[in-house]
Amino acid sequence: LVRGGLSLSNPPGLSYEYSNLGYALLGRIVTKISGLSCQRYVDRHILAPLGMKNTQWEYTKVPPALLAHGYRWEEGQWKEEKLLHDGVFGPMDGMISSIEDFSKYITLHLNAWPPRDSNDPGPLRRSSIREMHQPGRISGLLTDARKPDGSPCPIVTAYAFGLGWTRDCDGRIALAHTGGLPGFGSNWRILPDYGIGVVSLANRTYSPAASINNTV
């Protein structure tokens, strides 16, 4: 794909657009530098230190009794989606986890705040995580946004390092990431100033988990 030539929708550095291909290429960089596949690198240096023992990349490695199957609503009925194997685009999506396991990852992000000089057990330094949380490029001003109760509340949105950043009309900052595949939709969100995190995992194609978490 790369040898064949890539076209760009915008000149680099001038605008924001999410790119699955960009994250696949980032995974390739991790592989070239570390000598491990991106998946194995993440397993060894992030998942294992966090104790995320029930998180997998490949669905065939999940015990059948624990594996959620995905569905779509089509022609008035639920139809099961075909599960996708892990592959070279794994770094951009497709990780399989549980609420209990993923809460450990959310805790890692929340523990980066407030900044302090106490022991920093990792696996990623708190300062690096806080750097991930900083807005890098403003992506929108939602003047017609509303709170879950219907009252108006404009929101500024931006993109940080792999995370969406928002500040609402009350000054609340939230960081989040949404995932979606045929049969599944997910979102996790944290409010660093409040020490609150929430994750929703759903087995319907592109389920609107972000709006669920926003209401929560």
Side-chain angles (χ1 to χ4, degrees), residues 113 133-135 138-143 145-147 153-159 164-176 189-194 214:
W113 300 94
H133 293 173
Q134 301 309 305
I138 300 297
S139 56
L141 174 60
L142 308 180
T143 57
R146 294 181 177 273
K147 296 180 181 180
C153 185
I155 294 175
V156 177
T157 65
Y159 197 63
W165 178 97
T166 62
R167 184 193 293 268
D168 69 11
C169 63
D170 295 321
R172 281 188 292 261
I173 292 174
L175 292 138
R189 180 176 304 222
I190 61 171
L191 277 67
D193 293 335
Y194 296 84
N214 186 45

PDB file of all heavy atoms in Angstrom, residues 113 133-135 138-143 145-147 153-159 164-176 189-194 214:
ATOM      1  N   TRP A 113      -2.986  12.432  37.369  1.00  0.00           N
ATOM      2  CA  TRP A 113      -3.428  13.708  37.946  1.00  0.00           C
ATOM      3  C   TRP A 113      -3.694  13.558  39.430  1.00  0.00           C
ATOM      4  O   TRP A 113      -4.165  12.527  39.853  1.00  0.00           O
ATOM      5  CB  TRP A 113      -4.699  14.198  37.236  1.00  0.00           C
ATOM      6  CG  TRP A 113      -4.481  14.421  35.782  1.00  0.00           C
ATOM      7  CD1 TRP A 113      -4.727  13.518  34.778  1.00  0.00           C
ATOM      8  CD2 TRP A 113      -3.973  15.598  35.142  1.00  0.00           C
ATOM      9  NE1 TRP A 113      -4.400  14.053  33.562  1.00  0.00           N
ATOM     10  CE2 TRP A 113      -3.938  15.338  33.757  1.00  0.00           C
ATOM     11  CE3 TRP A 113      -3.547  16.840  35.619  1.00  0.00           C
ATOM     12  CZ2 TRP A 113      -3.489  16.277  32.838  1.00  0.00           C
ATOM     13  CZ3 TRP A 113      -3.108  17.776  34.695  1.00  0.00           C
ATOM     14  CH2 TRP A 113      -3.077  17.487  33.326  1.00  0.00           C
ATOM     15  N   HIS A 133      -2.655  13.970  27.186  1.00  0.00           N
ATOM     16  CA  HIS A 133      -3.944  14.603  27.479  1.00  0.00           C
ATOM     17  C   HIS A 133      -4.042  16.050  26.991  1.00  0.00           C
ATOM     18  O   HIS A 133      -5.113  16.647  27.099  1.00  0.00           O
ATOM     19  CB  HIS A 133      -4.195  14.580  28.989  1.00  0.00           C
ATOM     20  CG  HIS A 133      -4.389  13.212  29.544  1.00  0.00           C
ATOM     21  ND1 HIS A 133      -4.496  12.961  30.894  1.00  0.00           N
ATOM     22  CD2 HIS A 133      -4.494  11.992  28.936  1.00  0.00           C
ATOM     23  CE1 HIS A 133      -4.659  11.662  31.103  1.00  0.00           C
ATOM     24  NE2 HIS A 133      -4.658  11.057  29.933  1.00  0.00           N
ATOM     25  N   GLN A 134      -2.953  16.611  26.477  1.00  0.00           N
ATOM     26  CA  GLN A 134      -2.990  18.011  26.077  1.00  0.00           C
ATOM     27  C   GLN A 134      -3.556  18.160  24.665  1.00  0.00           C
ATOM     28  O   GLN A 134      -3.171  17.423  23.752  1.00  0.00           O
ATOM     29  CB  GLN A 134      -1.577  18.610  26.131  1.00  0.00           C
ATOM     30  CG  GLN A 134      -0.938  18.537  27.495  1.00  0.00           C
ATOM     31  CD  GLN A 134      -1.825  19.092  28.591  1.00  0.00           C
ATOM     32  OE1 GLN A 134      -2.273  20.240  28.507  1.00  0.00           O
ATOM     33  NE2 GLN A 134      -2.070  18.303  29.612  1.00  0.00           N
ATOM     34  N   PRO A 135      -4.465  19.119  24.455  1.00  0.00           N
ATOM     35  CA  PRO A 135      -5.030  19.312  23.114  1.00  0.00           C
ATOM     36  C   PRO A 135      -3.957  19.776  22.136  1.00  0.00           C
ATOM     37  O   PRO A 135      -3.243  20.746  22.390  1.00  0.00           O
ATOM     38  CB  PRO A 135      -6.099  20.391  23.336  1.00  0.00           C
ATOM     39  CG  PRO A 135      -5.668  21.116  24.570  1.00  0.00           C
ATOM     40  CD  PRO A 135      -4.996  20.092  25.435  1.00  0.00           C
ATOM     41  N   ILE A 138      -7.233  22.165  17.702  1.00  0.00           N
ATOM     42  CA  ILE A 138      -8.671  22.373  17.844  1.00  0.00           C
ATOM     43  C   ILE A 138      -9.383  21.769  16.642  1.00  0.00           C
ATOM     44  O   ILE A 138      -8.979  21.991  15.493  1.00  0.00           O
ATOM     45  CB  ILE A 138      -9.004  23.875  17.961  1.00  0.00           C
ATOM     46  CG1 ILE A 138      -8.317  24.480  19.184  1.00  0.00           C
ATOM     47  CG2 ILE A 138     -10.506  24.089  18.016  1.00  0.00           C
ATOM     48  CD1 ILE A 138      -8.781  23.894  20.494  1.00  0.00           C
ATOM     49  N   SER A 139     -10.424  20.996  16.886  1.00  0.00           N
ATOM     50  CA  SER A 139     -11.140  20.349  15.785  1.00  0.00           C
ATOM     51  C   SER A 139     -12.557  20.869  15.610  1.00  0.00           C
ATOM     52  O   SER A 139     -13.179  20.623  14.578  1.00  0.00           O
ATOM     53  CB  SER A 139     -11.180  18.831  16.005  1.00  0.00           C
ATOM     54  OG  SER A 139     -11.766  18.502  17.257  1.00  0.00           O
ATOM     55  N   GLY A 140     -13.091  21.590  16.610  1.00  0.00           N
ATOM     56  CA  GLY A 140     -14.449  22.102  16.424  1.00  0.00           C
ATOM     57  C   GLY A 140     -14.940  22.942  17.583  1.00  0.00           C
ATOM     58  O   GLY A 140     -14.427  22.860  18.704  1.00  0.00           O
ATOM     59  N   LEU A 141     -15.926  23.777  17.291  1.00  0.00           N
ATOM     60  CA  LEU A 141     -16.657  24.536  18.304  1.00  0.00           C
ATOM     61  C   LEU A 141     -18.129  24.219  18.107  1.00  0.00           C
ATOM     62  O   LEU A 141     -18.732  24.621  17.106  1.00  0.00           O
ATOM     63  CB  LEU A 141     -16.411  26.039  18.162  1.00  0.00           C
ATOM     64  CG  LEU A 141     -17.234  26.945  19.069  1.00  0.00           C
ATOM     65  CD1 LEU A 141     -16.964  26.629  20.540  1.00  0.00           C
ATOM     66  CD2 LEU A 141     -16.946  28.416  18.776  1.00  0.00           C
ATOM     67  N   LEU A 142     -18.691  23.451  19.044  1.00  0.00           N
ATOM     68  CA  LEU A 142     -20.076  22.992  18.918  1.00  0.00           C
ATOM     69  C   LEU A 142     -20.980  23.962  19.662  1.00  0.00           C
ATOM     70  O   LEU A 142     -21.271  23.802  20.844  1.00  0.00           O
ATOM     71  CB  LEU A 142     -20.209  21.575  19.466  1.00  0.00           C
ATOM     72  CG  LEU A 142     -19.202  20.549  18.907  1.00  0.00           C
ATOM     73  CD1 LEU A 142     -19.439  19.180  19.516  1.00  0.00           C
ATOM     74  CD2 LEU A 142     -19.267  20.494  17.394  1.00  0.00           C
ATOM     75  N   THR A 143     -21.419  25.002  18.959  1.00  0.00           N
ATOM     76  CA  THR A 143     -22.208  26.055  19.599  1.00  0.00           C
ATOM     77  C   THR A 143     -23.613  25.600  19.972  1.00  0.00           C
ATOM     78  O   THR A 143     -24.252  26.200  20.839  1.00  0.00           O
ATOM     79  CB  THR A 143     -22.310  27.275  18.676  1.00  0.00           C
ATOM     80  OG1 THR A 143     -22.890  26.876  17.419  1.00  0.00           O
ATOM     81  CG2 THR A 143     -20.920  27.862  18.415  1.00  0.00           C
ATOM     82  N   ALA A 145     -24.329  22.504  21.115  1.00  0.00           N
ATOM     83  CA  ALA A 145     -24.273  21.333  21.999  1.00  0.00           C
ATOM     84  C   ALA A 145     -25.146  21.549  23.233  1.00  0.00           C
ATOM     85  O   ALA A 145     -25.344  22.684  23.686  1.00  0.00           O
ATOM     86  CB  ALA A 145     -22.835  21.058  22.428  1.00  0.00           C
ATOM     87  N   ARG A 146     -25.662  20.467  23.745  1.00  0.00           N
ATOM     88  CA  ARG A 146     -26.525  20.525  24.919  1.00  0.00           C
ATOM     89  C   ARG A 146     -26.119  19.471  25.943  1.00  0.00           C
ATOM     90  O   ARG A 146     -25.554  18.442  25.592  1.00  0.00           O
ATOM     91  CB  ARG A 146     -27.995  20.323  24.524  1.00  0.00           C
ATOM     92  CG  ARG A 146     -28.534  21.443  23.667  1.00  0.00           C
ATOM     93  CD  ARG A 146     -30.007  21.236  23.302  1.00  0.00           C
ATOM     94  NE  ARG A 146     -30.507  22.372  22.539  1.00  0.00           N
ATOM     95  CZ  ARG A 146     -31.004  23.474  23.095  1.00  0.00           C
ATOM     96  NH1 ARG A 146     -31.081  23.573  24.415  1.00  0.00           N
ATOM     97  NH2 ARG A 146     -31.426  24.479  22.346  1.00  0.00           N
ATOM     98  N   LYS A 147     -26.423  19.772  27.196  1.00  0.00           N
ATOM     99  CA  LYS A 147     -26.219  18.795  28.253  1.00  0.00           C
ATOM    100  C   LYS A 147     -27.276  17.698  28.129  1.00  0.00           C
ATOM    101  O   LYS A 147     -28.293  17.878  27.451  1.00  0.00           O
ATOM    102  CB  LYS A 147     -26.329  19.478  29.615  1.00  0.00           C
ATOM    103  CG  LYS A 147     -25.264  20.523  29.895  1.00  0.00           C
ATOM    104  CD  LYS A 147     -25.467  21.140  31.274  1.00  0.00           C
ATOM    105  CE  LYS A 147     -24.416  22.205  31.558  1.00  0.00           C
ATOM    106  NZ  LYS A 147     -24.598  22.820  32.902  1.00  0.00           N
ATOM    107  N   CYS A 153     -25.135  24.085  26.101  1.00  0.00           N
ATOM    108  CA  CYS A 153     -23.789  24.082  26.686  1.00  0.00           C
ATOM    109  C   CYS A 153     -22.771  23.913  25.563  1.00  0.00           C
ATOM    110  O   CYS A 153     -22.409  22.783  25.212  1.00  0.00           O
ATOM    111  CB  CYS A 153     -23.650  22.965  27.714  1.00  0.00           C
ATOM    112  SG  CYS A 153     -22.058  22.972  28.597  1.00  0.00           S
ATOM    113  N   PRO A 154     -22.325  25.027  24.950  1.00  0.00           N
ATOM    114  CA  PRO A 154     -21.327  24.934  23.875  1.00  0.00           C
ATOM    115  C   PRO A 154     -20.073  24.190  24.331  1.00  0.00           C
ATOM    116  O   PRO A 154     -19.677  24.243  25.494  1.00  0.00           O
ATOM    117  CB  PRO A 154     -21.009  26.402  23.554  1.00  0.00           C
ATOM    118  CG  PRO A 154     -22.242  27.146  23.988  1.00  0.00           C
ATOM    119  CD  PRO A 154     -22.734  26.415  25.203  1.00  0.00           C
ATOM    120  N   ILE A 155     -19.447  23.487  23.386  1.00  0.00           N
ATOM    121  CA  ILE A 155     -18.282  22.656  23.674  1.00  0.00           C
ATOM    122  C   ILE A 155     -17.183  22.934  22.661  1.00  0.00           C
ATOM    123  O   ILE A 155     -17.440  23.043  21.458  1.00  0.00           O
ATOM    124  CB  ILE A 155     -18.653  21.158  23.634  1.00  0.00           C
ATOM    125  CG1 ILE A 155     -19.617  20.804  24.764  1.00  0.00           C
ATOM    126  CG2 ILE A 155     -17.409  20.279  23.734  1.00  0.00           C
ATOM    127  CD1 ILE A 155     -20.108  19.379  24.709  1.00  0.00           C
ATOM    128  N   VAL A 156     -15.946  23.068  23.151  1.00  0.00           N
ATOM    129  CA  VAL A 156     -14.767  23.125  22.288  1.00  0.00           C
ATOM    130  C   VAL A 156     -14.173  21.724  22.228  1.00  0.00           C
ATOM    131  O   VAL A 156     -14.001  21.072  23.261  1.00  0.00           O
ATOM    132  CB  VAL A 156     -13.719  24.116  22.831  1.00  0.00           C
ATOM    133  CG1 VAL A 156     -12.468  24.098  21.955  1.00  0.00           C
ATOM    134  CG2 VAL A 156     -14.289  25.512  22.898  1.00  0.00           C
ATOM    135  N   THR A 157     -13.873  21.256  21.030  1.00  0.00           N
ATOM    136  CA  THR A 157     -13.284  19.932  20.865  1.00  0.00           C
ATOM    137  C   THR A 157     -11.897  20.056  20.234  1.00  0.00           C
ATOM    138  O   THR A 157     -11.637  20.971  19.437  1.00  0.00           O
ATOM    139  CB  THR A 157     -14.153  19.019  19.985  1.00  0.00           C
ATOM    140  OG1 THR A 157     -14.199  19.558  18.646  1.00  0.00           O
ATOM    141  CG2 THR A 157     -15.565  18.920  20.537  1.00  0.00           C
ATOM    142  N   ALA A 158     -11.016  19.135  20.618  1.00  0.00           N
ATOM    143  CA  ALA A 158      -9.660  19.126  20.076  1.00  0.00           C
ATOM    144  C   ALA A 158      -9.161  17.693  20.057  1.00  0.00           C
ATOM    145  O   ALA A 158      -9.794  16.784  20.618  1.00  0.00           O
ATOM    146  CB  ALA A 158      -8.732  20.009  20.907  1.00  0.00           C
ATOM    147  N   TYR A 159      -8.025  17.491  19.416  1.00  0.00           N
ATOM    148  CA  TYR A 159      -7.414  16.166  19.391  1.00  0.00           C
ATOM    149  C   TYR A 159      -6.093  16.224  20.124  1.00  0.00           C
ATOM    150  O   TYR A 159      -5.277  17.125  19.903  1.00  0.00           O
ATOM    151  CB  TYR A 159      -7.198  15.688  17.953  1.00  0.00           C
ATOM    152  CG  TYR A 159      -6.968  14.197  17.855  1.00  0.00           C
ATOM    153  CD1 TYR A 159      -7.962  13.308  18.234  1.00  0.00           C
ATOM    154  CD2 TYR A 159      -5.768  13.680  17.391  1.00  0.00           C
ATOM    155  CE1 TYR A 159      -7.772  11.935  18.156  1.00  0.00           C
ATOM    156  CE2 TYR A 159      -5.560  12.309  17.301  1.00  0.00           C
ATOM    157  CZ  TYR A 159      -6.567  11.446  17.689  1.00  0.00           C
ATOM    158  OH  TYR A 159      -6.377  10.086  17.612  1.00  0.00           O
ATOM    159  N   GLY A 164      -9.590  12.163  22.170  1.00  0.00           N
ATOM    160  CA  GLY A 164     -10.382  13.359  21.964  1.00  0.00           C
ATOM    161  C   GLY A 164     -10.430  14.182  23.245  1.00  0.00           C
ATOM    162  O   GLY A 164     -10.540  13.624  24.345  1.00  0.00           O
ATOM    163  N   TRP A 165     -10.339  15.498  23.117  1.00  0.00           N
ATOM    164  CA  TRP A 165     -10.335  16.431  24.251  1.00  0.00           C
ATOM    165  C   TRP A 165     -11.515  17.378  24.104  1.00  0.00           C
ATOM    166  O   TRP A 165     -11.777  17.874  22.996  1.00  0.00           O
ATOM    167  CB  TRP A 165      -9.021  17.197  24.256  1.00  0.00           C
ATOM    168  CG  TRP A 165      -8.845  18.247  25.326  1.00  0.00           C
ATOM    169  CD1 TRP A 165      -8.202  18.110  26.506  1.00  0.00           C
ATOM    170  CD2 TRP A 165      -9.287  19.621  25.279  1.00  0.00           C
ATOM    171  NE1 TRP A 165      -8.210  19.302  27.212  1.00  0.00           N
ATOM    172  CE2 TRP A 165      -8.869  20.246  26.476  1.00  0.00           C
ATOM    173  CE3 TRP A 165     -10.002  20.381  24.339  1.00  0.00           C
ATOM    174  CZ2 TRP A 165      -9.137  21.589  26.753  1.00  0.00           C
ATOM    175  CZ3 TRP A 165     -10.274  21.712  24.615  1.00  0.00           C
ATOM    176  CH2 TRP A 165      -9.841  22.301  25.816  1.00  0.00           C
ATOM    177  N   THR A 166     -12.239  17.615  25.183  1.00  0.00           N
ATOM    178  CA  THR A 166     -13.345  18.572  25.146  1.00  0.00           C
ATOM    179  C   THR A 166     -13.320  19.440  26.399  1.00  0.00           C
ATOM    180  O   THR A 166     -12.898  18.999  27.469  1.00  0.00           O
ATOM    181  CB  THR A 166     -14.721  17.882  25.064  1.00  0.00           C
ATOM    182  OG1 THR A 166     -14.920  17.079  26.235  1.00  0.00           O
ATOM    183  CG2 THR A 166     -14.838  17.016  23.820  1.00  0.00           C
ATOM    184  N   ARG A 167     -13.774  20.673  26.238  1.00  0.00           N
ATOM    185  CA  ARG A 167     -14.027  21.562  27.376  1.00  0.00           C
ATOM    186  C   ARG A 167     -15.433  22.122  27.165  1.00  0.00           C
ATOM    187  O   ARG A 167     -15.715  22.713  26.123  1.00  0.00           O
ATOM    188  CB  ARG A 167     -13.013  22.693  27.464  1.00  0.00           C
ATOM    189  CG  ARG A 167     -13.221  23.579  28.717  1.00  0.00           C
ATOM    190  CD  ARG A 167     -12.435  24.873  28.630  1.00  0.00           C
ATOM    191  NE  ARG A 167     -11.005  24.661  28.672  1.00  0.00           N
ATOM    192  CZ  ARG A 167     -10.266  24.676  29.795  1.00  0.00           C
ATOM    193  NH1 ARG A 167     -10.851  24.873  30.965  1.00  0.00           N
ATOM    194  NH2 ARG A 167      -8.972  24.500  29.738  1.00  0.00           N
ATOM    195  N   ASP A 168     -16.292  21.939  28.180  1.00  0.00           N
ATOM    196  CA  ASP A 168     -17.679  22.370  28.008  1.00  0.00           C
ATOM    197  C   ASP A 168     -17.895  23.766  28.579  1.00  0.00           C
ATOM    198  O   ASP A 168     -16.961  24.420  29.060  1.00  0.00           O
ATOM    199  CB  ASP A 168     -18.646  21.345  28.612  1.00  0.00           C
ATOM    200  CG  ASP A 168     -18.593  21.278  30.132  1.00  0.00           C
ATOM    201  OD1 ASP A 168     -17.967  22.154  30.766  1.00  0.00           O
ATOM    202  OD2 ASP A 168     -19.191  20.339  30.694  1.00  0.00           O
ATOM    203  N   CYS A 169     -19.135  24.224  28.519  1.00  0.00           N
ATOM    204  CA  CYS A 169     -19.471  25.589  28.920  1.00  0.00           C
ATOM    205  C   CYS A 169     -19.211  25.841  30.399  1.00  0.00           C
ATOM    206  O   CYS A 169     -19.058  26.997  30.812  1.00  0.00           O
ATOM    207  CB  CYS A 169     -20.929  25.883  28.590  1.00  0.00           C
ATOM    208  SG  CYS A 169     -22.105  24.828  29.490  1.00  0.00           S
ATOM    209  N   ASP A 170     -19.134  24.789  31.194  1.00  0.00           N
ATOM    210  CA  ASP A 170     -18.850  24.925  32.624  1.00  0.00           C
ATOM    211  C   ASP A 170     -17.368  24.744  32.936  1.00  0.00           C
ATOM    212  O   ASP A 170     -16.975  24.710  34.107  1.00  0.00           O
ATOM    213  CB  ASP A 170     -19.663  23.902  33.431  1.00  0.00           C
ATOM    214  CG  ASP A 170     -21.161  24.170  33.338  1.00  0.00           C
ATOM    215  OD1 ASP A 170     -21.550  25.357  33.345  1.00  0.00           O
ATOM    216  OD2 ASP A 170     -21.926  23.191  33.259  1.00  0.00           O
ATOM    217  N   GLY A 171     -16.533  24.616  31.897  1.00  0.00           N
ATOM    218  CA  GLY A 171     -15.101  24.465  32.089  1.00  0.00           C
ATOM    219  C   GLY A 171     -14.653  23.050  32.386  1.00  0.00           C
ATOM    220  O   GLY A 171     -13.481  22.833  32.700  1.00  0.00           O
ATOM    221  N   ARG A 172     -15.539  22.080  32.299  1.00  0.00           N
ATOM    222  CA  ARG A 172     -15.165  20.689  32.562  1.00  0.00           C
ATOM    223  C   ARG A 172     -14.392  20.122  31.377  1.00  0.00           C
ATOM    224  O   ARG A 172     -14.863  20.172  30.236  1.00  0.00           O
ATOM    225  CB  ARG A 172     -16.402  19.841  32.838  1.00  0.00           C
ATOM    226  CG  ARG A 172     -16.961  19.974  34.244  1.00  0.00           C
ATOM    227  CD  ARG A 172     -18.061  18.961  34.488  1.00  0.00           C
ATOM    228  NE  ARG A 172     -19.218  19.261  33.671  1.00  0.00           N
ATOM    229  CZ  ARG A 172     -20.305  19.909  34.113  1.00  0.00           C
ATOM    230  NH1 ARG A 172     -20.363  20.313  35.368  1.00  0.00           N
ATOM    231  NH2 ARG A 172     -21.318  20.159  33.317  1.00  0.00           N
ATOM    232  N   ILE A 173     -13.236  19.543  31.665  1.00  0.00           N
ATOM    233  CA  ILE A 173     -12.412  18.913  30.635  1.00  0.00           C
ATOM    234  C   ILE A 173     -12.635  17.406  30.668  1.00  0.00           C
ATOM    235  O   ILE A 173     -12.626  16.794  31.733  1.00  0.00           O
ATOM    236  CB  ILE A 173     -10.928  19.237  30.855  1.00  0.00           C
ATOM    237  CG1 ILE A 173     -10.671  20.728  30.596  1.00  0.00           C
ATOM    238  CG2 ILE A 173     -10.033  18.379  29.949  1.00  0.00           C
ATOM    239  CD1 ILE A 173      -9.264  21.165  30.917  1.00  0.00           C
ATOM    240  N   ALA A 174     -12.847  16.838  29.502  1.00  0.00           N
ATOM    241  CA  ALA A 174     -13.004  15.388  29.381  1.00  0.00           C
ATOM    242  C   ALA A 174     -12.068  14.876  28.301  1.00  0.00           C
ATOM    243  O   ALA A 174     -11.811  15.563  27.300  1.00  0.00           O
ATOM    244  CB  ALA A 174     -14.439  15.015  29.045  1.00  0.00           C
ATOM    245  N   LEU A 175     -11.541  13.684  28.504  1.00  0.00           N
ATOM    246  CA  LEU A 175     -10.729  13.000  27.506  1.00  0.00           C
ATOM    247  C   LEU A 175     -11.397  11.675  27.194  1.00  0.00           C
ATOM    248  O   LEU A 175     -11.908  11.006  28.094  1.00  0.00           O
ATOM    249  CB  LEU A 175      -9.315  12.781  28.031  1.00  0.00           C
ATOM    250  CG  LEU A 175      -8.538  14.072  28.205  1.00  0.00           C
ATOM    251  CD1 LEU A 175      -7.749  14.062  29.491  1.00  0.00           C
ATOM    252  CD2 LEU A 175      -7.632  14.326  27.014  1.00  0.00           C
ATOM    253  N   ALA A 176     -11.404  11.317  25.923  1.00  0.00           N
ATOM    254  CA  ALA A 176     -12.168  10.126  25.543  1.00  0.00           C
ATOM    255  C   ALA A 176     -11.614   9.523  24.261  1.00  0.00           C
ATOM    256  O   ALA A 176     -10.871  10.158  23.513  1.00  0.00           O
ATOM    257  CB  ALA A 176     -13.638  10.491  25.357  1.00  0.00           C
ATOM    258  N   ARG A 189     -14.124   7.343  28.734  1.00  0.00           N
ATOM    259  CA  ARG A 189     -14.054   8.779  28.984  1.00  0.00           C
ATOM    260  C   ARG A 189     -13.617   9.019  30.414  1.00  0.00           C
ATOM    261  O   ARG A 189     -14.021   8.296  31.326  1.00  0.00           O
ATOM    262  CB  ARG A 189     -15.435   9.399  28.749  1.00  0.00           C
ATOM    263  CG  ARG A 189     -15.527  10.882  28.973  1.00  0.00           C
ATOM    264  CD  ARG A 189     -16.926  11.362  28.606  1.00  0.00           C
ATOM    265  NE  ARG A 189     -17.240  10.979  27.241  1.00  0.00           N
ATOM    266  CZ  ARG A 189     -17.848  11.778  26.369  1.00  0.00           C
ATOM    267  NH1 ARG A 189     -18.209  12.985  26.726  1.00  0.00           N
ATOM    268  NH2 ARG A 189     -18.125  11.363  25.147  1.00  0.00           N
ATOM    269  N   ILE A 190     -12.763  10.022  30.601  1.00  0.00           N
ATOM    270  CA  ILE A 190     -12.352  10.402  31.948  1.00  0.00           C
ATOM    271  C   ILE A 190     -12.516  11.905  32.136  1.00  0.00           C
ATOM    272  O   ILE A 190     -12.443  12.678  31.180  1.00  0.00           O
ATOM    273  CB  ILE A 190     -10.884  10.011  32.258  1.00  0.00           C
ATOM    274  CG1 ILE A 190      -9.905  10.713  31.309  1.00  0.00           C
ATOM    275  CG2 ILE A 190     -10.710   8.511  32.245  1.00  0.00           C
ATOM    276  CD1 ILE A 190      -8.449  10.551  31.687  1.00  0.00           C
ATOM    277  N   LEU A 191     -12.771  12.310  33.375  1.00  0.00           N
ATOM    278  CA  LEU A 191     -12.753  13.705  33.798  1.00  0.00           C
ATOM    279  C   LEU A 191     -11.619  13.828  34.811  1.00  0.00           C
ATOM    280  O   LEU A 191     -11.810  13.544  35.998  1.00  0.00           O
ATOM    281  CB  LEU A 191     -14.084  14.114  34.425  1.00  0.00           C
ATOM    282  CG  LEU A 191     -15.211  14.529  33.462  1.00  0.00           C
ATOM    283  CD1 LEU A 191     -15.683  13.346  32.638  1.00  0.00           C
ATOM    284  CD2 LEU A 191     -16.371  15.153  34.222  1.00  0.00           C
ATOM    285  N   PRO A 192     -10.410  14.202  34.370  1.00  0.00           N
ATOM    286  CA  PRO A 192      -9.240  14.185  35.258  1.00  0.00           C
ATOM    287  C   PRO A 192      -9.412  15.025  36.517  1.00  0.00           C
ATOM    288  O   PRO A 192      -8.931  14.643  37.588  1.00  0.00           O
ATOM    289  CB  PRO A 192      -8.123  14.748  34.365  1.00  0.00           C
ATOM    290  CG  PRO A 192      -8.579  14.481  32.964  1.00  0.00           C
ATOM    291  CD  PRO A 192     -10.058  14.616  33.000  1.00  0.00           C
ATOM    292  N   ASP A 193     -10.086  16.174  36.417  1.00  0.00           N
ATOM    293  CA  ASP A 193     -10.235  17.050  37.578  1.00  0.00           C
ATOM    294  C   ASP A 193     -11.126  16.445  38.657  1.00  0.00           C
ATOM    295  O   ASP A 193     -11.096  16.878  39.808  1.00  0.00           O
ATOM    296  CB  ASP A 193     -10.811  18.401  37.159  1.00  0.00           C
ATOM    297  CG  ASP A 193      -9.855  19.190  36.284  1.00  0.00           C
ATOM    298  OD1 ASP A 193      -8.634  18.950  36.385  1.00  0.00           O
ATOM    299  OD2 ASP A 193     -10.322  20.031  35.496  1.00  0.00           O
ATOM    300  N   TYR A 194     -11.914  15.446  38.282  1.00  0.00           N
ATOM    301  CA  TYR A 194     -12.854  14.842  39.222  1.00  0.00           C
ATOM    302  C   TYR A 194     -12.468  13.413  39.607  1.00  0.00           C
ATOM    303  O   TYR A 194     -13.110  12.805  40.463  1.00  0.00           O
ATOM    304  CB  TYR A 194     -14.266  14.826  38.624  1.00  0.00           C
ATOM    305  CG  TYR A 194     -14.841  16.196  38.388  1.00  0.00           C
ATOM    306  CD1 TYR A 194     -14.536  16.906  37.228  1.00  0.00           C
ATOM    307  CD2 TYR A 194     -15.669  16.800  39.316  1.00  0.00           C
ATOM    308  CE1 TYR A 194     -15.048  18.179  37.007  1.00  0.00           C
ATOM    309  CE2 TYR A 194     -16.197  18.070  39.106  1.00  0.00           C
ATOM    310  CZ  TYR A 194     -15.874  18.751  37.948  1.00  0.00           C
ATOM    311  OH  TYR A 194     -16.383  20.013  37.731  1.00  0.00           O
ATOM    312  N   ASN A 214     -21.507  10.114  27.890  1.00  0.00           N
ATOM    313  CA  ASN A 214     -21.707  11.537  28.138  1.00  0.00           C
ATOM    314  C   ASN A 214     -22.870  11.745  29.108  1.00  0.00           C
ATOM    315  O   ASN A 214     -22.801  12.576  30.015  1.00  0.00           O
ATOM    316  CB  ASN A 214     -21.978  12.276  26.837  1.00  0.00           C
ATOM    317  CG  ASN A 214     -22.051  13.762  27.019  1.00  0.00           C
ATOM    318  OD1 ASN A 214     -21.225  14.367  27.699  1.00  0.00           O
ATOM    319  ND2 ASN A 214     -23.050  14.390  26.427  1.00  0.00           N
TER     320      ASN A 214
END
